Amino acid sequence: MPSATKKGEPLERTRYAPKAHATLTDVEDGGGPASKKRRLGNGASFASQALQSQPSFTDVLERLKKEEETNATEAEGGADNWARPELSKIDPKRDTIIFQQIDVEEGVDGKGQFGIRMYGVTQASFQDEDIKPFIENLNVVGMNWIEVPAGQYRLIQGQSKRSNCQIELHMRYDAFISHPPEGAWQKIAPLRILSFDIECAGRKGIFPEAEKDPVIQIASMVTRNGEDKPFIRNIFTLNTCSHIVGSQVLSFKEEGTMLERWRDFIEEVDPDVVIGYNISNFDFPYLMDRAKALKANRFPYLGRLRNVKTEVKNTHFSSRAYGQRDSKETPLDGRLQMDLLQFMQREHKLRSYTLNSVCAQFLGEQKEDVHHSVITELQNGTPESRRRLAVYCLKDAYLPQRLMDKLMCFVNYTEMARVTGVPFNYLLSRGQSIKVLSQLFRKANSEGYVIPALKGEGSDEAYEGATVIEPSRGYYDRPIATLDFSSLYPSIMMAHNLCYTTLLDKATIDRLGLEKDVDYIQTPNNDFFAKSSRRKGLLPTILEDLISARKRAKADLKNEKDPFKKAVLDGRQLALKISANSVYGFTGATVGKLPCLAISSSVTAYGRQMIEKTKQEVEAEYCMANGHEFDAQVIYGDTDSVMVRFGPMDLAKVMALGSEAAELVTAKFIKPIKLEFEKVYWPYLLISKKRYAGLYWTKLEKWDKMDSKGIETVRRDNCRLVSTVIETSLHKLLIDRDTKAAESYVKQVISDLLQNKIDMSQLVITKALAKTDYTGKQAHVELAERMKQRDAGSAPALGDRVAYVIIKGIKGAAAYEKSEDPLYVLENNIPIDTKYYLENQLSKPLMRIFEPILGEKASSLLSGDHTRSIQIATPTVGGLMKFAVKTVTCLGCKTTLRANNSIPNGAVCNNCRPRISELYQKQIMNTSDLQVRFARLWTQCQRCQGSLHQDVLCTSKDCPIFYMRKKAQKDVEDANTVLERFDEEIW
Ligand code: SF4
């Protein structure tokens, strides 16, 4: 007789039981019956593939150590390597000091003298200097190189030093050379970058509070800019922690001592840049508050200035581009900061900004997510469980560095600081306008202008935006050429000399007797501007500088071979492009520092005129009346581009026509306005304004990519199923060009959905519980409240992401009443409202892409035979279930088992009993398959979390594997229950 297989990992994390997985893992290793292939769904299989190749983080640490051994570094995690190398003696009369300045601040020194303090890093020996005071920062731009000639400075030493820098010196403001970041001065010094993460032990159901909950671990990774591996890796732990290969472990009995020792570590390592994930709003404020609560008074001195206390400030940030945001800031004198979460929120539009999901997206790796209540359990366990926590924490310190390298954020921001002149630390904490303003001030200064200090009051004045040529919706199987105005708005401003300094009013024109089109122009918006022959504007000059610098950077990029230098150049050309494009927005920002709607509305008015003119010119020239094979048609135009259907099927011909048309139209406009032919879409699906998809061709041999705009692939309030279905359908339609296959794929998915065969991870919707006082009722808020009533300990707290699915409810119930915790749904077999998913999530996006192709027939995708078969799970909880009598059926013929046709609690009816061995075999096979599947997912998670010998604790709501694992576990448990029925049988 079989004995029931042990149940696997418990469904709730509060019932965490070590070693419970052993039996199931054995199934995989022990070569149980081969598993049948089961469909995981699209997203799932991608995720699994990615995960299987992912090494555990303990492997990563070991590899880092091994690679170091060749460099003869002895100590674990770079323990003997904290401080910067000793300096050789400096002779101010003989030695010139050259350094990359990273931070400049104004201030008054100890004697009440005004000055400017500058921090930097030399290339040769990674030393820092502190120079003060300057009265004016002459031509100093963010992150550029400074040369202090020998004999021009005085070294400050011993007790007189005011900082912890290796070199501190004093000089006159005009005695240094500031090198523009060009040519050899484009390099970036080997700055020391510290990435860190902290763990706190929270109480059940309460997000950690610094007043009460201890900091239990701090992980740090230090990397030199330009290198890809951290040369210092360590973890500070409260209480003991087992050895970790590849990382130094420093254990402390007292939390206060641990914090102060970590501060000493910062002073010794002396990082130039401090990074992490959510460090601005969580780690730094928490550390500061905790140190205060513990009276660890030596702690809050993390900057480079001696005796200057580090303090947290509340900041409010408001910008048209990024919206309103309250956040915290912890300035560290002389050190740069980069919070990768803020960077992500600013630069990328994503479904979710958890570290887990950002890493999955950009690094192709999942990261386990341990709930804060589980962290406390691990901390209160053994040195081994604390080691586990430490590895988790170390990984969280390592990932921001990897993200930074991968996304080139540091290089790109450095270049942005150099291009715009603003200090690096402003780039994340301030809006766009400061960058334009900084350039404007510099230019105005050198040209002898003064800029009025206006109060950004804001006004409701609105002006007409860009033009959109009404799209001729449809599916185009002929090549569609796209003609783009390169840098449209900057080139309009340059071509027409639009600037604050050239704006004229009627009275001035009359007074000076100016002549139209000779001395000034009138814009389509009826504003007047002096022509450049009379007075060249500041903004056009700034734009010219930016654009010619970009041209140079792009040319250098082409010739550069070194990957690091290439990255710098690419960052530079990108920064230059963004800067040029933001000048127009600056003039139109009514709440900004220097709004001038005469400029911004003239720019858009010219833009609209140009798009219209382009359409007319192209359609007038390329027509059959002029001897062309077809009449060209502009099928769509938006802001700075038009899409032209020239007619021929031949790609080469269309490309040639595109280039020719671009040249023809360019000739009709004032320089430097330029229309360019860049790409062809073929085929092209034009859905509506700002929504389209197509295959993107720039060369004849092969298409470059599938491009889509405004189509549901990243919208965060959609479940994964929507993006999976839309992406796969587009692939079939545009790449395979197989409409039939796309249709049958969609029908199959809908049929699977209605029959409950879609993996639940595809149906989960997540939303952050951002505040307590939402106005309307919302699905995630209502659910959080219900979960709190069920179990306050595991319910989502403020700031957590709430994951939910929509379940079947009473007729007419609103979606917010039908949201439910996916785990609760799994455990209790609660039926999903599949119709909701079809009607509210899938139908609109599907119709959008299929209607242009199938016309009216598209609606048949949503109804028809494939929607007839519906299967609903039988819940085990809920109102009526209290009264329901559970019927048990025969495993052979499905007859209801009763006292007169079977034995109590048995598996089969009396008729099927002769087949009992066969049915038992079948059930064993089925259970085995499910066990193998569960074991696979379990092992995947173990790999992800870094150990094949420990239980999986991760509850990452952003990871599809999480729900698959939970579902697989439930399936195994159910199958075991069925198997147990054979125990009661007569054999
Ligand atoms: S569910 Fe598993 S695979 Fe996903 S993040 Fe957590 S541990 Fe990693």
Side-chain angles (χ1 to χ4, degrees):
M1 285 303 299
S3 64
T5 315
K6 264 192 221 164
K7 300 229 164 120
E9 171 214 24
L11 280 170
E12 298 134 20
R13 54 179 174 261
T14 42
R15 280 156 54 204
Y16 157 59
K19 303 271 184 281
H21 66 289
T23 320
L24 291 166
T25 316
D26 290 345
V27 173
E28 192 190 24
D29 297 338
S35 73
K36 284 180 200 146
K37 278 237 174 320
R38 287 191 63 197
R39 291 182 40 190
L40 291 178
N42 264 339
S45 48
F46 290 146
S48 337
Q49 280 161 15
L51 280 170
Q52 267 159 2
S53 54
Q54 180 181 331
S56 82
F57 191 61
T58 33
D59 297 341
V60 172
L61 284 170
E62 281 179 33
R63 178 175 53 80
L64 288 171
K65 178 177 168 66
K66 269 198 208 123
E67 284 170 1
E68 254 173 17
E69 272 161 4
T70 51
N71 295 337
T73 304
E74 293 297 327
E76 198 80 89
D80 55 350
N81 220 359
W82 283 7
R84 290 171 189 270
E86 276 291 313
L87 282 181
S88 49
K89 206 167 156 21
I90 295 175
D91 177 356
K93 293 219 167 50
R94 187 198 60 207
D95 297 326
T96 293
I97 292 182
I98 299 176
F99 66 97
Q100 184 184 7
Q101 61 83 15
I102 59 170
D103 198 9
V104 188
E105 52 188 40
E106 293 176 352
V108 178
D109 72 3
K111 295 179 194 134
Q113 271 185 330
F114 177 74
I116 287 179
R117 186 175 293 122
M118 199 184 278
Y119 300 87
V121 182
T122 65
Q123 171 131 51
S125 52
F126 327 143
Q127 303 131 9
D128 295 28
E129 300 86 23
D130 177 11
I131 303 179
K132 61 189 178 68
F134 300 127
I135 294 174
E136 209 181 324
N137 54 349
L138 289 170
N139 293 324
V140 174
V141 292
M143 308 292 284
N144 75 329
W145 286 84
I146 303 288
E147 184 172 343
V148 188
Q152 297 287 346
Y153 61 92
R154 175 165 58 81
L155 272 183
I156 301 174
Q157 282 163 323
Q159 286 307 309
S160 313
K161 275 179 76 174
R162 300 188 61 213
S163 75
N164 294 317
C165 300
Q166 278 183 305
I167 312 169
E168 186 172 322
L169 51 91
H170 199 133
M171 64 178 300
R172 262 184 67 84
Y173 72 91
D174 53 1
F176 71 95
I177 304 159
S178 174
H179 293 284
E182 300 275 342
W185 298 109
Q186 276 179 355
K187 61 187 172 187
I188 300 181
L191 308 167
R192 285 187 159 205
I193 303 169
L194 163 74
S195 178
F196 81 102
D197 180 57
I198 67 169
E199 297 300 338
C200 317
R203 286 153 294 149
K204 248 201 162 102
I206 305 170
F207 196 71
E209 290 169 8
E211 280 295 306
K212 303 198 177 90
D213 301 312
V215 172
I216 49 175
Q217 296 193 339
I218 313 176
S220 308
M221 298 267 169
V222 186
T223 312
R224 279 183 213 99
N225 191 42
E227 295 177 6
D228 59 353
K229 294 181 195 83
F231 66 101
I232 299 176
R233 303 170 297 275
N234 64 32
I235 179 104
F236 285 59
T237 67
L238 185 59
N239 208 338
T240 51
C241 171
S242 303
H243 179 71
I244 303 169
V245 178
S247 166
Q248 188 188 5
V249 178
L250 297 107
S251 299
F252 298 84
K253 282 204 186 88
E254 298 280 335
E255 191 191 349
T257 319
M258 176 178 82
L259 294 188
E260 290 185 341
R261 190 66 192 98
W262 188 71
R263 189 219 77 91
D264 297 341
F265 161 73
I266 300 286
E267 188 177 316
E268 200 171 331
V269 167
D270 191 26
D272 305 297
V273 189
V274 181
I275 67 167
Y277 208 79
N278 201 16
I279 51 171
S280 300
N281 283 321
F282 181 71
D283 300 58
F284 270 132
Y286 199 94
L287 283 170
M288 294 297 164
D289 290 346
R290 189 66 193 148
K292 199 165 168 192
L294 292 171
K295 302 200 169 49
N297 297 331
R298 274 202 323 107
F299 182 78
Y301 294 89
L302 299 170
R304 279 180 160 152
L305 285 185
R306 285 180 185 168
N307 306 324
V308 174
K309 203 166 170 183
T310 309
E311 290 190 62
V312 182
K313 290 184 198 155
N314 287 320
T315 59
H316 178 75
F317 174 86
S318 156
S319 142
R320 216 166 53 160
Y322 308 116
Q324 305 252 354
R325 216 178 294 152
D326 282 316
S327 62
K328 292 186 160 57
E329 198 183 341
T330 313
L332 309 173
D333 297 282
R335 307 194 202 284
L336 304 180
Q337 277 182 55
M338 189 168 225
D339 185 333
L340 269 289
L341 171 63
Q342 289 182 350
F343 174 86
M344 288 296 165
Q345 287 172 332
R346 221 175 150 126
E347 308 287 340
H348 296 274
K349 191 168 169 274
L350 301 175
R351 276 178 80 90
S352 156
Y353 288 97
T354 59
L355 185 53
N356 181 305
S357 102
V358 168
C359 288
Q361 172 114 8
F362 293 102
L363 303 176
E365 287 176 20
Q366 291 286 356
K367 182 200 91 72
E368 70 168 331
D369 190 1
V370 180
H371 195 261
H372 40 81
S373 56
V374 180
I375 287 179
T376 311
E377 282 180 38
L378 290 173
Q379 172 68 11
N380 294 340
T382 60
E384 203 38 51
S385 71
R386 284 185 289 275
R387 174 190 187 275
R388 164 144 200 214
L389 193 54
V391 172
Y392 175 73
C393 189
L394 279 161
K395 187 171 181 184
D396 281 10
Y398 184 54
L399 288 171
Q401 176 72 46
R402 297 227 13 236
L403 279 172
M404 190 164 102
D405 292 346
K406 176 91 190 209
L407 298 173
M408 297 276 169
C409 357
F410 186 72
V411 178
N412 291 354
Y413 269 33
T414 298
E415 288 308 314
M416 183 58 92
R418 287 173 167 177
V419 165
T420 58
V422 303
F424 186 98
N425 274 341
Y426 279 21
L427 295 174
L428 268 183
S429 60
R430 312 277 290 262
Q432 289 286 2
S433 63
I434 184 82
K435 298 179 211 161
V436 182
L437 198 62
S438 153
Q439 293 171 78
L440 200 54
F441 272 126
R442 281 162 201 274
K443 204 73 199 167
N445 191 28
S446 67
E447 307 264 322
Y449 286 100
V450 286
I451 294 180
L454 294 182
K455 249 210 178 127
E457 301 257 286
S459 80
D460 294 335
E461 234 180 301
Y463 59 93
E464 206 183 328
T467 203
V468 177
I469 295 177
E470 210 37 57
S472 309
R473 290 160 28 114
Y475 175 75
Y476 296 87
D477 60 356
R478 281 166 198 268
I480 302 294
T482 309
L483 308 179
D484 295 284
F485 283 104
S486 79
S487 307
L488 177 70
Y489 287 174
S491 56
I492 290 177
M493 292 172 91
M494 290 188 280
H496 302 288
N497 199 31
L498 309 183
C499 181
Y500 304 94
T501 56
T502 57
L503 179 64
L504 295 168
D505 56 16
K506 199 81 189 103
T508 317
I509 290 171
D510 293 344
R511 182 166 49 85
L512 299 177
L514 301 178
E515 198 181 327
K516 192 173 167 200
D517 295 329
V518 176
D519 302 313
Y520 71 95
I521 52 148
Q522 182 171 3
T523 69
N525 209 42
N526 296 327
D527 288 304
F528 308 106
F529 290 89
K531 289 192 80 159
S532 58
S533 51
R534 297 300 304 241
R535 174 191 277 177
K536 183 84 189 266
L538 283 185
L539 293 180
T541 317
I542 292 175
L543 288 167
E544 271 166 25
D545 290 352
L546 290 170
I547 285 171
S548 60
R550 179 162 184 240
K551 267 196 198 132
R552 280 200 306 278
K554 279 175 98 172
D556 291 350
L557 181 64
K558 247 191 200 155
N559 300 328
E560 186 56 66
K561 295 277 167 306
D562 178 75
F564 189 62
K565 285 187 191 150
K566 257 184 129 114
V568 173
L569 285 167
D570 200 33
R572 184 168 183 77
Q573 69 84 13
L574 195 69
L576 288 159
K577 180 180 169 187
I578 298 171
S579 296
N581 286 336
S582 54
V583 172
Y584 148 78
F586 176 80
T587 62
T590 48
V591 284
K593 290 270 183 272
L594 220 52
C596 181
L597 294 195
I599 301 178
S600 53
S601 51
S602 294
V603 171
T604 46
Y606 273 122
R608 288 193 299 276
Q609 215 182 43
M610 285 160 62
I611 290 285
E612 286 297 338
K613 187 167 167 154
T614 306
K615 176 178 155 71
Q616 285 160 13
E617 293 286 342
V618 170
E619 289 181 353
E621 172 63 35
Y622 297 91
C623 58
M624 296 199 299
N626 280 356
H628 288 278
E629 209 182 330
F630 299 90
D631 279 337
Q633 184 201 355
V634 170
I635 56 163
Y636 179 50
D638 189 0
T639 315
D640 59 356
S641 58
V642 291
M643 318 283 192
V644 190
R645 180 182 169 281
F646 282 106
M649 266 309 241
D650 182 3
L651 184 64
K653 218 175 218 172
V654 172
M655 285 187 165
L657 285 169
S659 313
E660 192 189 302
E663 262 175 48
L664 183 100
V665 177
T666 302
K668 314 256 166 185
F669 292 111
I670 303 175
K671 276 193 178 138
I673 291 171
K674 192 170 178 211
L675 188 67
E676 286 177 340
F677 161 74
E678 264 182 14
K679 56 187 180 270
V680 163
Y681 283 115
W682 185 36
Y684 185 56
L685 179 61
L686 179 53
I687 297 168
S688 61
K689 279 179 196 171
K690 302 194 188 292
R691 279 186 209 262
Y692 56 84
L695 272 197
Y696 185 111
W697 299 74
T698 54
K699 49 188 178 303
L700 288 173
E701 305 75 51
K702 192 179 173 346
W703 45 272
D704 303 59
K705 59 178 177 179
M706 188 169 83
D707 196 20
S708 70
K709 287 253 150 47
I711 293 177
E712 280 81 356
T713 44
V714 292
R715 277 192 46 185
R716 278 178 269 167
D717 41 3
N718 284 331
C719 63
R720 267 176 217 276
L721 183 67
V722 177
S723 48
T724 311
V725 171
I726 297 297
E727 266 170 35
T728 314
S729 305
L730 284 178
H731 196 284
K732 290 189 187 301
L733 290 171
L734 302 176
I735 299 179
D736 305 343
R737 299 204 188 189
D738 191 342
T739 314
K740 281 268 161 299
E743 276 180 69
S744 54
Y745 161 76
V746 169
K747 284 184 179 164
Q748 185 60 48
V749 172
I750 291 177
S751 157
D752 285 353
L753 173 69
L754 296 177
Q755 292 183 54
N756 249 324
K757 288 187 192 156
I758 298 281
D759 196 285
M760 201 168 65
S761 62
Q762 295 280 314
L763 303 178
V764 175
I765 307 168
T766 64
K767 226 167 171 191
L769 195 58
K771 50 184 185 178
T772 42
D773 54 340
Y774 282 93
T775 35
K777 286 194 186 287
Q778 295 209 20
H780 69 301
V781 186
E782 296 296 305
L783 173 62
E785 196 44 51
R786 267 180 273 133
M787 287 172 76
K788 207 153 123 200
Q789 281 162 16
R790 280 205 291 260
D791 174 15
S794 63
L798 200 65
D800 282 355
R801 287 193 79 76
V802 185
Y804 62 92
V805 286
I806 299 293
I807 55 164
K808 274 217 164 316
I810 44 167
K811 222 172 172 205
Y816 67 79
E817 294 173 276
K818 299 193 291 179
S819 53
E820 190 45 274
D821 173 13
L823 290 186
Y824 188 76
V825 169
L826 274 181
E827 281 172 44
N828 299 298
N829 284 339
I830 298 176
I832 301 265
D833 189 351
T834 49
K835 272 227 144 70
Y836 170 88
Y837 283 92
L838 181 58
E839 285 163 11
N840 295 56
Q841 296 256 315
L842 274 178
S843 74
K844 271 196 197 135
L846 276 177
M847 282 306 100
R848 265 185 221 123
I849 62 168
F850 278 95
E851 253 170 13
I853 300 170
L854 300 177
E856 297 208 328
K857 277 202 314 200
S859 58
S860 70
L861 287 175
L862 304 179
S863 54
D865 286 350
H866 62 289
T867 59
R868 302 265 146 76
S869 165
I870 296 176
Q871 221 159 60
I872 300 168
T874 321
T876 49
V877 287
L880 280 177
M881 288 321 290
K882 276 188 234 138
F883 308 104
V885 180
K886 212 172 162 206
T887 56
V888 184
T889 54
C890 168
L891 295 173
C893 66
K894 305 283 178 245
T895 309
T896 305
L897 295 184
R898 295 192 190 87
N900 61 1
N901 69 355
S902 61
I903 58 161
N905 303 323
V908 289
C909 68
N910 294 341
N911 282 344
C912 292
R913 184 148 304 108
R915 288 173 55 212
I916 193 161
S917 305
E918 172 213 334
L919 292 170
Y920 175 60
Q921 281 286 336
K922 209 168 135 196
Q923 185 58 27
I924 287 265
M925 291 284 275
N926 179 24
T927 313
S928 275
D929 282 354
L930 294 171
Q931 284 176 337
V932 168
R933 176 169 153 74
F934 176 44
R936 287 226 164 100
L937 290 163
W938 181 266
T939 317
Q940 260 183 19
C941 287
Q942 285 185 315
R943 270 199 202 112
C944 172
Q945 71 181 19
S947 163
L948 294 178
H949 309 290
Q950 286 165 325
D951 278 287
V952 174
L953 303 180
C954 171
T955 51
S956 171
K957 298 194 168 56
D958 281 318
C959 177
I961 302 291
F962 172 60
Y963 294 106
M964 281 188 227
R965 164 161 55 83
K966 289 291 183 191
K967 170 81 167 65
Q969 178 185 7
K970 175 76 169 51
D971 290 345
V972 170
E973 287 181 6
D974 290 349
N976 279 334
T977 312
V978 174
L979 207 53
E980 277 165 15
R981 284 167 56 192
F982 286 93
D983 290 356
E984 308 300 325
E985 277 297 343
I986 309 161
W987 290 68

